[in-house]
Amino acid sequence: MLGSLVVAAALAVGGLFARLWTDAKVSTVGEAPFDNPLVIPPVAESTVEKDGTRVFELRMQAGETEFRDGVKTPTWGFNGSYLGPTLRAQRGEKVRVRVANGLEEASSVHWHGMHLPARMDGGPHQMIAPGATWTPHWTVDQPAATLWYHPHPHGRTEAHVRRGLAGLFLLDDEKSARLPLPKRYGVDDLPVVVQDVRFDGSQLAGDRGLMQNVGFLGDRTMVNGTLRPYRQVHDELIRLRLLNASTARTYAFGFPDDRGFSLVGTDGGLSARPAVMDRVQLSPGERAEIVVRVEAGERVMLRSFPQDNYGDAWQRRFGGGDDSFDVLELRAAERLRPSPGLPAELVEPEVPREEEAVRGRHFDLKRSGINGRAMDMGRIDETVTRGTTEVWTIRNTNGMPHNFHVHDVQFRVVEVNGAAPPPALRGPKDTVFVPHGTTMKLALRFTGPADPDTPYMYHCHLLYHEDEGMMGQFVVVEKGQPAGKPPGHSGHTDRAAQGGHGGHGGQGRGHGGD
């Protein structure tokens, strides 16, 4: 009898595991027609002040969004119920963004990929209380690029982004304007903000599946908040500005017929030259600009394919590496406008070289924290000298995928496991995928301005990991200057929560960069 019970229990456990293993693999390939027109985020309106400053208005707010016919889902968005408008500015332009918090809890807005003063960065030290307004301002001083903005409250980033708080911030410059690249926004130059979602009735689900230690993984994808999207196109060459705005899922984008496409840009802007490939892998926070050729009358699906670099079979299955998704259908018109061929040379990236480095640092990625330390809002982890270049060595032996994002800078990937980086990692980057067993060297230049008391962040951009403490802080100082201490780190009521200038929650406004 005991033996029979043991056998029955073993069979039950085995059956449960088999079911978990089978159910963990997700595929939407060929499951449903793509019958919803792709929503194109509007370009944000702005005003220009007498001194030339371009001013944007953003409001974080709650609302309802009808992703599925007749079903209203509670969501958050900027200037609307879900996601936000596309901000656009020129290199050399002064910008100011008035960010109002219409939510019932504090949040922040981080300008992901932007080079700007630490006090304007929008990290966890620049919280905006409910009903308050934060007004950062800076001068755009970097090349044309596809950047984005999203909340960054310590411990709550995953929930705020997953509910819909995200948007693109496109930068333009004279060099990119002269290149014969597709550049008509929403016509042959398409924003593609990819998120994975799962619905629990009318709600957006946020629970992690059993053994999903990378974070939340959805069972379907949306582009620009559109389920099963298609876009009719009328040009031979189409530029897709891909943003992985998911909180934990990594994608490998390509096309079912394995057609080649040209990678022309990465996180921080255009590459030196187009690189032809048939897959580009993007972890959360990463961007890629690709140009694909379509034929008249055809329908071609942008797809995310399974990936084999998540670690072992267990990590691949429960970390999303075995999953595949149909993402966006491009429907080519019966007659297409001719597109000029891509130039052989684009723009030399403005990123440092390894030989310019004056020192190195090492960062060991683990769920418990970076270099064995969980995030502490009051602790400065690293101090860098303004104007210097460093090489940071990033290592992941944690058995699961991570990635690594550094605020304020665009860096050069120098090595991946001792070898030259692949083409997809040769452009300017601010976020890199670091799967298990990977050691990566990055060259970074810190140009300031110096601020010993206000830190920038570096962290895993798998947001569940970030919220758990996989984050550290660094300050930029003048040569010989010591690091200071963040001015208050007790949460949403500290001085940094009011924009770093000593505002008080009872006044109803944060003062940010004003």
Side-chain angles (χ1 to χ4, degrees):
M1 184 178 297
L2 180 59
S4 298
L5 289 173
V6 170
V7 170
L11 289 173
V13 170
L16 176 62
F17 175 77
R19 182 175 178 181
L20 286 172
W21 181 266
T22 301
D23 290 348
K25 184 177 180 179
V26 176
S27 175
T28 64
V29 172
E31 281 196 348
F34 275 50
D35 51 6
N36 295 317
L38 177 68
V39 171
I40 300 295
V43 176
E45 295 181 358
S46 61
T47 59
V48 179
E49 297 181 342
K50 291 181 179 180
D51 67 351
T53 301
R54 185 170 299 279
V55 181
F56 298 97
E57 305 275 352
L58 287 179
R59 179 177 176 81
M60 294 183 281
Q61 60 191 70
E64 292 182 325
T65 305
E66 194 171 306
F67 299 111
R68 299 165 293 170
D69 290 343
V71 181
K72 293 183 178 181
T73 297
T75 53
W76 288 0
F78 291 97
N79 299 358
S81 66
Y82 194 74
L83 297 182
T86 297
L87 278 59
R88 197 154 200 168
Q90 290 275 347
R91 185 173 197 173
E93 199 168 32
K94 293 185 290 187
V95 299
R96 176 178 286 113
V97 189
R98 297 191 184 105
V99 186
N101 185 359
L103 304 172
E104 294 184 354
E105 62 178 279
S107 191
S108 73
V109 179
H110 167 55
W111 317 107
H112 185 124
M114 193 77 73
H115 172 53
L116 74 179
R119 288 174 179 265
M120 314 300 170
D121 186 55
H125 289 283
Q126 289 90 43
M127 294 296 289
I128 314 169
T133 300
W134 178 56
T135 310
H137 57 86
W138 68 95
T139 299
V140 176
D141 185 20
Q142 61 193 101
T146 300
L147 311 182
W148 66 303
Y149 58 95
H150 63 80
H152 211 304
H154 182 38
R156 295 285 292 160
T157 299
E158 191 275 341
H160 288 205
V161 174
R162 180 176 45 77
R163 291 174 182 175
L165 289 175
L168 290 171
F169 201 138
L170 305 186
L171 301 183
D172 302 300
D173 65 14
E174 292 181 358
K175 290 181 180 179
S176 66
R178 289 195 296 264
L179 293 171
L181 293 172
K183 55 175 62 77
R184 289 170 295 167
Y185 181 82
V187 179
D188 61 354
D189 183 358
L190 302 182
V192 182
V193 180
V194 182
Q195 301 164 290
D196 61 332
V197 295
R198 189 172 70 246
F199 291 99
D200 181 5
S202 65
Q203 308 287 316
L204 286 173
D207 57 305
R208 291 182 298 111
L210 192 63
M211 293 176 285
Q212 288 182 344
N213 55 27
V214 297
F216 170 81
L217 297 175
D219 59 7
R220 67 185 78 184
T221 56
M222 299 194 299
V223 176
N224 304 343
T226 310
L227 288 169
R228 305 188 314 277
Y230 74 87
R231 184 69 176 179
Q232 188 165 26
V233 295
H234 299 269
D235 297 270
E236 291 175 338
L237 293 181
I238 303 299
R239 180 184 190 175
L240 303 178
R241 295 180 186 255
L242 302 171
L243 161 62
N244 182 353
S246 296
T247 62
R249 183 177 293 282
T250 297
Y251 302 96
F253 293 110
F255 298 92
D257 59 2
D258 292 332
R259 70 181 63 195
F261 53 82
S262 296
L263 178 73
V264 298
T266 50
D267 299 341
L270 296 177
S271 306
R273 58 195 58 85
V276 177
M277 56 189 65
D278 59 17
R279 298 285 187 275
V280 60
Q281 187 178 41
L282 297 181
S283 63
E286 289 187 277
R287 289 87 68 207
E289 298 182 30
I290 68 172
V291 177
V292 61
R293 180 175 294 277
V294 296
E295 302 293 335
E298 76 170 337
R299 296 187 178 189
V300 59
M301 184 69 71
L302 177 68
R303 180 173 292 171
S304 176
F305 292 85
Q307 302 145 74
D308 61 2
N309 60 344
Y310 271 45
D312 57 21
W314 181 277
Q315 288 295 331
R316 289 197 304 273
R317 177 55 57 97
F318 293 103
D322 289 339
D323 299 345
S324 52
F325 296 90
D326 282 345
V327 177
L328 169 65
E329 184 179 73
L330 298 177
R331 298 182 182 180
E334 293 299 328
R335 297 184 63 181
L336 297 176
R337 288 184 288 260
S339 300
L342 295 180
E345 303 291 329
L346 296 172
V347 175
E348 190 62 34
E350 298 177 16
V351 286
R353 298 185 179 277
E354 181 182 18
E355 54 268 26
E356 301 170 16
V358 298
R359 67 160 295 171
R361 301 177 197 263
H362 289 75
F363 298 86
D364 195 35
L365 307 184
K366 284 186 168 58
R367 277 276 298 280
S368 57
I370 298 176
N371 289 342
R373 295 186 293 187
M375 172 66 175
D376 181 340
M377 291 279 284
R379 183 189 68 229
I380 302 299
D381 298 283
E382 308 289 342
T383 304
V384 301
T385 302
R386 186 179 69 84
T388 61
T389 296
E390 299 188 353
V391 169
W392 290 11
T393 300
I394 316 302
R395 184 181 68 167
N396 177 9
T397 58
N398 199 204
M400 68 183 71
H402 293 302
N403 75 359
F404 193 73
H405 169 53
V406 185
H407 288 208
D408 183 54
V409 300
Q410 295 294 331
F411 50 72
R412 182 189 298 272
V413 179
V414 176
E415 287 182 4
V416 180
N417 291 333
L425 295 180
R426 293 177 190 168
K429 296 285 292 175
D430 56 54
T431 308
V432 283
F433 186 48
V434 190
H436 168 73
T438 298
T439 298
M440 195 174 292
K441 283 188 176 182
L442 316 175
L444 313 88
R445 180 184 295 118
F446 303 93
T447 58
D451 186 339
D453 296 316
T454 309
Y456 298 104
M457 307 294 123
Y458 56 85
H459 58 87
C460 180
H461 214 284
L462 277 64
L463 299 184
Y464 169 59
H465 294 178
E466 173 191 325
D467 285 345
E468 281 197 321
M470 279 194 71
M471 183 159 62
Q473 306 188 114
F474 72 96
V475 291
V476 177
V477 301
E478 297 293 353
K479 185 176 181 179
Q481 184 181 30
K485 189 173 182 62
H489 48 86
S490 58
H492 298 158
T493 59
D494 59 32
R495 192 175 77 158
Q498 305 305 322
H501 287 273
H504 299 282
Q507 294 175 337
R509 290 184 63 86
H511 298 287
D514 284 350

